[in-house]
Amino acid sequence: MEKNNLFKRMDQLESHFSGLHSELGDMKLKIKELLEENKRLSIENQQLRKILKRESAAVPVDIAQQETQEDGEDPIVTPDHPASAVGEGYDNLARLYHEGFHICNVYYGHLRTEGDCLFCLSFLNK
């Protein structure tokens, strides 16, 4: 009778270990997902900091342009601020793409992590 209890106990331990093993596998997958998300968010955070630094440096130029427009003078046309709205939209999309974001209809707004996107490039070349 003692041998049967021993085998039952071994069987219980084996099933318990298999449950722990599957739980450990699930935890490893969750950790992997969290690490990938952390890396993606870190890259996005760095890019947004660069954008913020660039935008905060460009603010005095924008204020000076607004003052000249209020005075009734013709607005200054620079490559950063074209006169036509169509060119401005294209420039905004090109800027977004160069900052590392998708502008194609497939992944619009997502962070580009694997280099250039052919869909985005074909959209820019239209």
Side-chain angles (χ1 to χ4, degrees):
M1 192 67 169
E2 192 174 306
K3 291 180 184 178
N4 286 339
N5 286 338
L6 185 62
F7 282 117
K8 285 181 184 178
R9 181 73 178 139
M10 286 295 286
D11 191 37
Q12 290 173 348
L13 284 173
E14 183 182 4
S15 65
H16 182 68
F17 281 132
S18 66
L20 287 175
H21 181 69
S22 65
E23 188 175 338
L24 182 63
D26 292 341
M27 291 177 98
K28 286 169 79 173
L29 287 175
K30 183 66 176 174
I31 288 172
K32 179 184 172 193
E33 290 173 2
L34 289 172
L35 289 173
E36 289 174 351
E37 183 181 10
N38 188 25
K39 182 65 175 171
R40 182 184 59 80
L41 290 173
S42 295
I43 292 170
E44 185 176 356
N45 192 7
Q46 288 174 350
Q47 290 180 344
L48 290 173
R49 286 179 191 272
K50 288 178 187 176
I51 294 168
L52 180 62
K53 186 182 286 186
R54 193 175 337 141
E55 292 294 323
S56 64
V59 168
V61 175
D62 292 338
I63 293 172
Q65 285 181 352
Q66 288 176 356
E67 289 174 358
T68 58
Q69 288 176 357
E70 290 172 359
D71 293 340
E73 297 176 13
D74 291 334
I76 301 170
V77 178
T78 62
D80 295 335
H81 298 86
S84 68
V86 175
E88 184 177 340
Y90 178 83
D91 288 343
N92 286 337
L93 288 175
R95 179 181 50 82
L96 282 173
Y97 181 76
H98 290 295
E99 289 172 356
F101 295 97
H102 282 279
I103 59 168
C104 62
N105 62 341
V106 181
Y107 298 110
Y108 182 81
H110 288 83
L111 186 64
R112 285 187 297 118
T113 57
E114 299 178 5
D116 291 332
C117 171
L118 294 178
F119 297 117
C120 294
L121 290 175
S122 69
F123 183 76
L124 282 175
N125 291 331
K126 285 185 182 179

Coordinates of all heavy atoms in Angstrom, one line a residue, residues 43-125:
I43 N 12.4 54.5 -27.5 CA 12.7 55.1 -28.8 C 11.8 56.2 -29.2 O 12.2 57.3 -29.6 CB 12.7 54.0 -29.9 CG1 13.9 53.0 -29.7 CG2 12.8 54.6 -31.3 CD1 13.8 51.8 -30.6
E44 N 10.5 56.0 -29.0 CA 9.5 57.0 -29.2 C 9.7 58.2 -28.3 O 9.7 59.4 -28.8 CB 8.1 56.5 -29.0 CG 7.0 57.4 -29.4 CD 5.6 56.8 -29.3 OE1 5.5 55.6 -29.0 OE2 4.7 57.5 -29.5
N45 N 10.1 58.0 -27.1 CA 10.3 59.1 -26.1 C 11.5 59.9 -26.6 O 11.5 61.1 -26.5 CB 10.6 58.5 -24.7 CG 10.5 59.5 -23.7 OD1 10.2 60.7 -23.9 ND2 10.9 59.1 -22.4
Q46 N 12.6 59.2 -27.0 CA 13.8 59.9 -27.5 C 13.4 60.8 -28.7 O 13.9 62.0 -28.8 CB 14.9 58.9 -27.9 CG 15.5 58.3 -26.7 CD 16.5 57.2 -27.2 OE1 16.6 56.8 -28.3 NE2 17.3 56.7 -26.2
Q47 N 12.7 60.2 -29.6 CA 12.3 61.0 -30.8 C 11.4 62.2 -30.4 O 11.6 63.3 -31.0 CB 11.6 60.1 -31.8 CG 12.5 59.1 -32.5 CD 11.9 58.3 -33.5 OE1 10.6 58.2 -33.5 NE2 12.6 57.6 -34.3
L48 N 10.5 62.0 -29.5 CA 9.7 63.1 -29.1 C 10.4 64.2 -28.3 O 10.2 65.4 -28.5 CB 8.5 62.6 -28.2 CG 7.5 61.8 -28.9 CD1 6.5 61.2 -27.9 CD2 6.7 62.6 -30.0
R49 N 11.5 63.8 -27.6 CA 12.3 64.8 -26.9 C 13.1 65.6 -28.0 O 13.2 66.8 -27.8 CB 13.3 64.1 -26.0 CG 12.7 63.6 -24.7 CD 13.7 63.0 -23.8 NE 13.1 62.3 -22.7 CZ 12.8 62.8 -21.5 NH1 13.0 64.1 -21.3 NH2 12.2 62.1 -20.6
K50 N 13.6 64.9 -29.0 CA 14.3 65.7 -30.1 C 13.3 66.6 -30.8 O 13.7 67.8 -31.0 CB 14.8 64.7 -31.1 CG 16.0 63.9 -30.7 CD 16.4 62.9 -31.8 CE 17.5 62.0 -31.3 NZ 17.8 61.0 -32.3
I51 N 12.1 66.2 -31.0 CA 11.1 67.1 -31.7 C 10.8 68.3 -30.8 O 10.8 69.4 -31.2 CB 9.8 66.3 -32.0 CG1 10.1 65.2 -33.0 CG2 8.7 67.2 -32.4 CD1 8.9 64.3 -33.2
L52 N 10.6 68.0 -29.5 CA 10.3 69.1 -28.5 C 11.5 70.1 -28.5 O 11.3 71.3 -28.5 CB 10.1 68.5 -27.1 CG 9.8 69.5 -26.0 CD1 8.5 70.3 -26.4 CD2 9.6 68.8 -24.7
K53 N 12.7 69.6 -28.5 CA 13.9 70.5 -28.4 C 13.9 71.3 -29.7 O 14.2 72.5 -29.6 CB 15.2 69.7 -28.3 CG 16.4 70.5 -28.1 CD 17.6 69.7 -28.0 CE 17.7 69.0 -26.7 NZ 19.0 68.2 -26.5
R54 N 13.7 70.7 -30.8 CA 13.7 71.4 -32.1 C 12.5 72.4 -32.2 O 12.7 73.6 -32.6 CB 13.5 70.4 -33.3 CG 13.9 71.0 -34.6 CD 13.8 70.0 -35.7 NE 14.0 68.6 -35.3 CZ 13.4 67.6 -35.8 NH1 12.5 67.7 -36.7 NH2 13.6 66.4 -35.3
E55 N 11.3 72.1 -31.7 CA 10.2 73.0 -31.7 C 10.4 74.1 -30.8 O 10.0 75.3 -31.1 CB 8.9 72.2 -31.4 CG 8.5 71.2 -32.5 CD 8.1 71.8 -33.8 OE1 7.5 72.9 -33.8 OE2 8.4 71.2 -34.8
S56 N 11.0 73.9 -29.6 CA 11.2 74.9 -28.7 C 12.2 75.9 -29.2 O 12.2 77.1 -28.9 CB 11.6 74.4 -27.3 OG 12.8 73.7 -27.3
A57 N 13.2 75.4 -29.9 CA 14.2 76.3 -30.5 C 13.6 77.1 -31.7 O 14.0 78.2 -32.0 CB 15.4 75.5 -31.0
A58 N 12.5 76.6 -32.3 CA 11.9 77.3 -33.5 C 10.8 78.3 -33.0 O 10.4 79.1 -33.9 CB 11.3 76.3 -34.4
V59 N 10.4 78.3 -31.8 CA 9.3 79.2 -31.3 C 9.7 80.7 -31.5 O 8.8 81.4 -32.0 CB 9.0 78.9 -29.9 CG1 8.1 79.9 -29.3 CG2 8.3 77.5 -29.8
P60 N 10.9 81.2 -31.2 CA 11.1 82.6 -31.5 C 11.0 83.0 -32.9 O 10.5 84.1 -33.2 CB 12.6 82.8 -31.0 CG 12.8 81.7 -30.0 CD 11.9 80.5 -30.5
V61 N 11.3 82.1 -33.9 CA 11.1 82.4 -35.3 C 9.7 82.6 -35.6 O 9.2 83.5 -36.3 CB 11.8 81.4 -36.1 CG1 11.6 81.6 -37.6 CG2 13.3 81.3 -35.8
D62 N 8.8 81.7 -35.1 CA 7.4 81.7 -35.3 C 6.8 83.0 -34.8 O 5.9 83.6 -35.4 CB 6.7 80.5 -34.8 CG 7.1 79.2 -35.5 OD1 7.6 79.3 -36.7 OD2 7.0 78.1 -34.9
I63 N 7.2 83.4 -33.6 CA 6.6 84.6 -33.0 C 7.0 85.8 -33.8 O 6.2 86.7 -34.1 CB 7.2 84.8 -31.5 CG1 6.6 83.6 -30.7 CG2 6.8 86.1 -31.0 CD1 7.1 83.6 -29.3
A64 N 8.2 85.9 -34.3 CA 8.7 87.0 -35.2 C 7.9 87.0 -36.5 O 7.5 88.1 -36.9 CB 10.1 86.9 -35.5
Q65 N 7.5 85.9 -37.0 CA 6.7 85.8 -38.3 C 5.3 86.3 -38.0 O 4.7 87.0 -38.8 CB 6.7 84.4 -38.8 CG 8.0 84.1 -39.5 CD 8.0 82.7 -40.1 OE1 7.0 81.9 -39.9 NE2 9.0 82.3 -40.8
Q66 N 4.8 85.9 -36.8 CA 3.4 86.4 -36.5 C 3.4 87.9 -36.3 O 2.4 88.5 -36.7 CB 2.9 85.7 -35.2 CG 2.6 84.2 -35.4 CD 2.2 83.6 -34.1 OE1 2.3 84.2 -33.0 NE2 1.8 82.3 -34.2
E67 N 4.4 88.5 -35.7 CA 4.4 89.9 -35.5 C 4.5 90.6 -36.9 O 3.8 91.7 -37.1 CB 5.6 90.3 -34.7 CG 5.4 89.9 -33.2 CD 6.7 90.2 -32.4 OE1 7.7 90.6 -33.0 OE2 6.7 89.9 -31.2
T68 N 5.3 90.1 -37.8 CA 5.3 90.8 -39.1 C 4.0 90.6 -39.9 O 3.6 91.6 -40.6 CB 6.5 90.2 -40.0 OG1 6.3 88.8 -40.1 CG2 7.8 90.5 -39.4
Q69 N 3.3 89.5 -39.7 CA 2.0 89.4 -40.3 C 1.0 90.3 -39.7 O 0.1 90.9 -40.4 CB 1.5 87.9 -40.2 CG 2.3 87.0 -41.1 CD 1.9 85.5 -40.9 OE1 1.0 85.2 -40.1 NE2 2.5 84.6 -41.7
E70 N 1.1 90.6 -38.4 CA 0.1 91.5 -37.8 C 0.4 92.9 -38.2 O -0.5 93.7 -38.3 CB 0.3 91.4 -36.3 CG -0.3 90.1 -35.7 CD 0.0 89.9 -34.3 OE1 0.7 90.8 -33.6 OE2 -0.4 88.8 -33.7
D71 N 1.6 93.3 -38.6 CA 2.0 94.6 -39.0 C 1.5 94.9 -40.4 O 1.6 96.0 -40.9 CB 3.5 94.8 -38.9 CG 4.0 94.8 -37.5 OD1 3.2 95.0 -36.6 OD2 5.2 94.6 -37.3
G72 N 1.0 93.8 -41.1 CA 0.5 94.0 -42.5 C 1.6 93.7 -43.5 O 1.3 93.9 -44.7
E73 N 2.7 93.3 -43.1 CA 3.8 93.0 -44.1 C 3.5 91.6 -44.7 O 2.7 90.8 -44.2 CB 5.1 93.0 -43.4 CG 5.5 94.3 -42.9 CD 6.9 94.2 -42.1 OE1 7.6 93.2 -42.3 OE2 7.2 95.2 -41.4
D74 N 4.1 91.4 -45.8 CA 3.9 90.1 -46.5 C 4.6 89.0 -45.6 O 5.7 89.3 -45.1 CB 4.6 90.1 -47.9 CG 3.8 90.9 -48.8 OD1 2.6 91.1 -48.6 OD2 4.3 91.4 -49.8
P75 N 4.0 87.9 -45.5 CA 4.7 86.8 -44.7 C 5.9 86.3 -45.4 O 6.0 86.3 -46.6 CB 3.6 85.7 -44.6 CG 2.7 85.9 -45.8 CD 2.7 87.4 -46.0
I76 N 6.9 86.0 -44.6 CA 8.2 85.5 -45.1 C 8.0 84.0 -45.5 O 7.5 83.2 -44.8 CB 9.3 85.6 -44.0 CG1 9.4 87.0 -43.5 CG2 10.6 85.0 -44.5 CD1 10.3 87.2 -42.3
V77 N 8.4 83.7 -46.8 CA 8.3 82.4 -47.3 C 9.6 81.7 -47.2 O 10.6 82.2 -47.8 CB 7.8 82.4 -48.7 CG1 7.7 81.0 -49.3 CG2 6.4 83.1 -48.8
T78 N 9.7 80.7 -46.4 CA 10.9 79.9 -46.2 C 10.6 78.5 -46.5 O 9.5 78.1 -46.6 CB 11.4 80.0 -44.7 OG1 10.4 79.4 -43.9 CG2 11.7 81.4 -44.3
P79 N 11.7 77.6 -46.7 CA 11.4 76.2 -47.0 C 10.6 75.6 -45.8 O 9.9 74.6 -46.1 CB 12.8 75.6 -47.1 CG 13.7 76.7 -47.5 CD 13.1 78.0 -46.8
D80 N 10.8 76.1 -44.6 CA 10.1 75.5 -43.5 C 8.6 75.9 -43.5 O 7.8 75.2 -42.9 CB 10.7 75.8 -42.2 CG 12.1 75.2 -42.0 OD1 12.4 74.2 -42.7 OD2 12.9 75.8 -41.3
H81 N 8.3 77.1 -44.0 CA 7.0 77.6 -44.0 C 6.6 78.1 -45.4 O 6.6 79.3 -45.7 CB 6.9 78.8 -43.0 CG 7.2 78.5 -41.6 ND1 8.5 78.4 -41.1 CD2 6.4 78.1 -40.6 CE1 8.5 78.1 -39.9 NE2 7.2 77.8 -39.5
P82 N 6.1 77.2 -46.3 CA 5.7 77.5 -47.6 C 4.4 78.3 -47.6 O 3.7 78.2 -46.6 CB 5.6 76.2 -48.3 CG 5.4 75.2 -47.2 CD 6.1 75.7 -46.0
A83 N 4.2 79.1 -48.7 CA 3.0 79.9 -48.7 C 1.8 79.1 -49.0 O 0.7 79.5 -48.6 CB 3.2 81.0 -49.8
S84 N 1.8 78.0 -49.8 CA 0.6 77.3 -50.1 C 0.3 76.2 -49.1 O 1.2 75.6 -48.5 CB 0.8 76.6 -51.5 OG 1.8 75.6 -51.4
A85 N -1.0 75.9 -48.9 CA -1.4 74.9 -47.9 C -1.1 73.5 -48.4 O -0.9 72.6 -47.6 CB -2.9 75.1 -47.7
V86 N -1.1 73.3 -49.7 CA -0.8 72.0 -50.2 C 0.6 71.6 -50.0 O 0.9 70.5 -49.5 CB -1.1 71.9 -51.8 CG1 -0.7 70.6 -52.3 CG2 -2.6 72.2 -52.0
G87 N 1.5 72.5 -50.2 CA 2.9 72.2 -49.9 C 3.2 72.1 -48.4 O 4.0 71.3 -48.0
E88 N 2.4 72.8 -47.6 CA 2.6 72.7 -46.2 C 2.2 71.3 -45.7 O 2.9 70.7 -44.8 CB 1.7 73.8 -45.5 CG 1.9 73.8 -44.0 CD 1.1 74.9 -43.4 OE1 0.8 75.9 -44.1 OE2 0.9 74.9 -42.1
G89 N 1.1 70.7 -46.2 CA 0.7 69.4 -45.8 C 1.7 68.4 -46.2 O 2.0 67.5 -45.4
Y90 N 2.3 68.5 -47.4 CA 3.3 67.6 -47.8 C 4.5 67.7 -47.0 O 5.1 66.7 -46.6 CB 3.7 67.8 -49.3 CG 4.8 67.0 -49.8 CD1 4.5 65.7 -50.3 CD2 6.1 67.4 -49.8 CE1 5.5 64.8 -50.7 CE2 7.1 66.6 -50.3 CZ 6.8 65.3 -50.7 OH 7.8 64.5 -51.2
D91 N 4.9 68.9 -46.6 CA 6.1 69.1 -45.8 C 5.9 68.5 -44.4 O 6.8 68.0 -43.8 CB 6.4 70.6 -45.7 CG 7.0 71.2 -46.9 OD1 7.4 70.3 -47.8 OD2 7.0 72.4 -47.1
N92 N 4.6 68.6 -43.9 CA 4.3 68.1 -42.6 C 4.4 66.5 -42.6 O 5.0 65.9 -41.7 CB 2.9 68.5 -42.1 CG 2.9 69.9 -41.6 OD1 3.9 70.5 -41.3 ND2 1.7 70.5 -41.7
L93 N 3.9 65.9 -43.7 CA 4.0 64.5 -43.8 C 5.5 64.0 -43.9 O 5.9 63.1 -43.3 CB 3.2 64.0 -45.0 CG 1.7 64.0 -44.8 CD1 1.0 63.6 -46.0 CD2 1.3 63.1 -43.6
A94 N 6.3 64.8 -44.7 CA 7.7 64.5 -44.9 C 8.4 64.6 -43.6 O 9.3 63.8 -43.2 CB 8.3 65.4 -46.0
R95 N 8.1 65.6 -42.8 CA 8.7 65.8 -41.5 C 8.4 64.7 -40.6 O 9.3 64.1 -39.9 CB 8.2 67.2 -40.9 CG 8.8 67.4 -39.5 CD 8.3 68.8 -38.9 NE 6.9 68.9 -39.0 CZ 6.1 68.4 -38.1 NH1 6.5 67.7 -37.1 NH2 4.8 68.6 -38.2
L96 N 7.1 64.3 -40.5 CA 6.7 63.1 -39.7 C 7.5 61.9 -40.1 O 7.9 61.1 -39.2 CB 5.2 62.9 -39.8 CG 4.3 63.8 -39.0 CD1 2.8 63.5 -39.4 CD2 4.5 63.6 -37.6
Y97 N 7.6 61.7 -41.4 CA 8.3 60.5 -41.9 C 9.8 60.5 -41.4 O 10.3 59.5 -40.9 CB 8.2 60.3 -43.4 CG 8.9 59.1 -43.9 CD1 8.4 57.9 -43.7 CD2 10.2 59.2 -44.5 CE1 9.0 56.7 -44.2 CE2 10.8 58.0 -44.9 CZ 10.2 56.8 -44.8 OH 10.9 55.7 -45.2
H98 N 10.4 61.7 -41.6 CA 11.8 61.8 -41.2 C 12.0 61.7 -39.7 O 13.1 61.5 -39.2 CB 12.4 63.1 -41.8 CG 12.6 63.0 -43.3 ND1 13.4 62.1 -43.9 CD2 12.0 63.7 -44.2 CE1 13.3 62.2 -45.2 NE2 12.5 63.2 -45.4
E99 N 11.0 62.0 -38.9 CA 11.1 61.9 -37.4 C 10.9 60.4 -37.0 O 11.0 60.1 -35.8 CB 10.0 62.8 -36.8 CG 10.4 64.3 -36.9 CD 9.3 65.2 -36.4 OE1 8.2 64.7 -36.1 OE2 9.5 66.4 -36.4
G100 N 10.6 59.6 -37.9 CA 10.5 58.1 -37.6 C 9.1 57.6 -37.5 O 8.9 56.5 -37.0
F101 N 8.1 58.2 -38.1 CA 6.7 57.7 -38.0 C 6.2 57.3 -39.4 O 6.7 57.9 -40.4 CB 5.8 58.8 -37.4 CG 6.1 59.1 -36.0 CD1 6.9 60.2 -35.7 CD2 5.6 58.3 -35.0 CE1 7.1 60.5 -34.4 CE2 5.9 58.6 -33.7 CZ 6.6 59.7 -33.4
H102 N 5.3 56.4 -39.5 CA 4.7 56.0 -40.7 C 3.7 57.0 -41.2 O 3.0 57.6 -40.4 CB 4.0 54.6 -40.6 CG 4.9 53.5 -40.6 ND1 5.4 52.9 -41.7 CD2 5.4 52.7 -39.5 CE1 6.1 51.8 -41.4 NE2 6.1 51.7 -40.1
I103 N 3.7 57.3 -42.5 CA 2.7 58.2 -43.1 C 1.8 57.5 -44.1 O 0.9 58.1 -44.7 CB 3.3 59.4 -43.7 CG1 4.3 59.0 -44.8 CG2 4.0 60.3 -42.7 CD1 4.7 60.1 -45.7
C104 N 2.1 56.2 -44.3 CA 1.3 55.4 -45.2 C -0.1 55.0 -44.6 O -0.3 55.1 -43.4 CB 2.0 54.1 -45.7 SG 2.4 53.0 -44.3
N105 N -1.0 54.6 -45.4 CA -2.3 54.2 -44.9 C -2.3 52.9 -44.2 O -3.3 52.6 -43.5 CB -3.4 54.2 -46.1 CG -3.0 53.1 -47.1 OD1 -1.9 52.7 -47.2 ND2 -4.0 52.8 -47.9
V106 N -1.3 52.1 -44.3 CA -1.2 50.8 -43.6 C -0.9 51.0 -42.1 O -1.5 50.4 -41.3 CB -0.2 49.9 -44.3 CG1 -0.1 48.6 -43.7 CG2 -0.6 49.8 -45.8
Y107 N 0.2 51.8 -41.8 CA 0.6 51.9 -40.5 C 0.7 53.4 -40.0 O 1.5 53.7 -39.2 CB 2.1 51.4 -40.4 CG 2.2 49.9 -40.7 CD1 2.8 49.5 -41.9 CD2 1.6 48.9 -39.8 CE1 2.9 48.1 -42.2 CE2 1.8 47.6 -40.1 CZ 2.4 47.2 -41.3 OH 2.5 45.9 -41.6
Y108 N -0.2 54.2 -40.5 CA -0.1 55.7 -40.2 C 0.0 55.9 -38.7 O -0.8 55.4 -37.9 CB -1.3 56.4 -40.7 CG -1.3 57.9 -40.5 CD1 -0.5 58.7 -41.4 CD2 -1.9 58.5 -39.4 CE1 -0.4 60.0 -41.2 CE2 -1.8 59.8 -39.2 CZ -1.1 60.6 -40.1 OH -1.0 61.9 -39.9
G109 N 1.0 56.7 -38.3 CA 1.2 57.1 -36.9 C 2.0 56.2 -36.1 O 2.4 56.6 -35.0
H110 N 2.3 55.0 -36.6 CA 3.1 54.0 -35.8 C 4.6 54.4 -36.0 O 5.0 54.9 -37.0 CB 2.8 52.6 -36.3 CG 1.5 52.1 -35.9 ND1 0.4 52.3 -36.6 CD2 1.2 51.3 -34.8 CE1 -0.6 51.7 -36.0 NE2 -0.2 51.1 -34.9
L111 N 5.3 54.0 -35.0 CA 6.8 54.3 -35.0 C 7.4 53.3 -36.0 O 7.1 52.1 -36.0 CB 7.3 54.1 -33.6 CG 8.8 54.4 -33.4 CD1 9.0 55.9 -33.6 CD2 9.2 54.0 -32.0
R112 N 8.3 53.8 -36.9 CA 9.1 53.0 -37.8 C 10.3 52.4 -37.0 O 11.1 53.2 -36.6 CB 9.6 53.8 -39.0 CG 8.5 54.1 -40.0 CD 9.1 54.7 -41.2 NE 9.7 56.0 -41.0 CZ 11.0 56.3 -41.2 NH1 11.8 55.4 -41.7 NH2 11.5 57.4 -40.9
T113 N 10.3 51.1 -36.9 CA 11.4 50.5 -36.1 C 12.4 49.8 -37.0 O 13.5 49.4 -36.6 CB 10.9 49.6 -35.1 OG1 10.1 48.6 -35.7 CG2 10.1 50.3 -34.0
E114 N 12.0 49.5 -38.2 CA 12.8 48.6 -39.1 C 13.3 49.4 -40.3 O 13.4 48.8 -41.4 CB 12.0 47.4 -39.5 CG 11.6 46.5 -38.4 CD 10.8 45.3 -38.8 OE1 10.6 45.1 -40.0 OE2 10.3 44.6 -37.9
G115 N 13.6 50.6 -40.2 CA 14.1 51.4 -41.4 C 13.0 52.0 -42.2 O 12.0 52.3 -41.7
D116 N 13.3 52.1 -43.5 CA 12.4 52.8 -44.4 C 11.2 51.9 -44.7 O 11.3 50.6 -44.8 CB 13.1 53.2 -45.7 CG 14.1 54.3 -45.5 OD1 13.8 55.1 -44.6 OD2 15.0 54.4 -46.3
C117 N 10.1 52.5 -45.0 CA 8.8 51.8 -45.3 C 8.5 52.1 -46.8 O 8.5 53.2 -47.2 CB 7.7 52.3 -44.5 SG 6.1 51.6 -45.0
L118 N 8.4 51.0 -47.6 CA 8.2 51.2 -49.0 C 6.8 51.9 -49.3 O 6.7 52.7 -50.3 CB 8.2 49.9 -49.8 CG 9.6 49.2 -49.8 CD1 9.5 47.9 -50.5 CD2 10.6 50.1 -50.4
F119 N 5.8 51.6 -48.5 CA 4.5 52.3 -48.7 C 4.7 53.8 -48.5 O 4.1 54.6 -49.2 CB 3.5 51.7 -47.7 CG 3.2 50.3 -48.0 CD1 3.5 49.3 -47.0 CD2 2.6 49.8 -49.2 CE1 3.2 48.0 -47.2 CE2 2.4 48.5 -49.4 CZ 2.7 47.6 -48.4
C120 N 5.4 54.2 -47.4 CA 5.5 55.6 -47.1 C 6.4 56.3 -48.2 O 6.0 57.4 -48.6 CB 6.3 55.8 -45.7 SG 5.3 55.2 -44.3
L121 N 7.4 55.6 -48.6 CA 8.3 56.2 -49.7 C 7.5 56.4 -51.0 O 7.6 57.4 -51.6 CB 9.5 55.4 -49.9 CG 10.5 55.4 -48.7 CD1 11.6 54.4 -49.0 CD2 11.1 56.8 -48.5
S122 N 6.7 55.4 -51.3 CA 5.9 55.6 -52.5 C 4.8 56.7 -52.4 O 4.6 57.4 -53.3 CB 5.2 54.3 -52.9 OG 4.2 54.0 -52.0
F123 N 4.3 56.9 -51.2 CA 3.4 58.0 -50.9 C 4.1 59.3 -51.0 O 3.5 60.3 -51.6 CB 2.8 57.8 -49.5 CG 1.7 58.9 -49.2 CD1 0.5 58.8 -49.8 CD2 2.0 59.9 -48.3 CE1 -0.5 59.7 -49.5 CE2 1.1 60.8 -48.1 CZ -0.2 60.8 -48.6
L124 N 5.3 59.4 -50.5 CA 6.1 60.7 -50.6 C 6.5 61.0 -52.1 O 6.5 62.2 -52.4 CB 7.3 60.6 -49.8 CG 7.2 60.8 -48.3 CD1 8.5 60.6 -47.6 CD2 6.6 62.2 -48.0
N125 N 6.7 60.0 -52.9 CA 7.1 60.2 -54.3 C 6.0 60.5 -55.2 O 6.2 60.8 -56.4 CB 7.9 59.0 -54.8 CG 9.2 58.9 -54.0 OD1 9.8 59.9 -53.6 ND2 9.7 57.7 -53.9

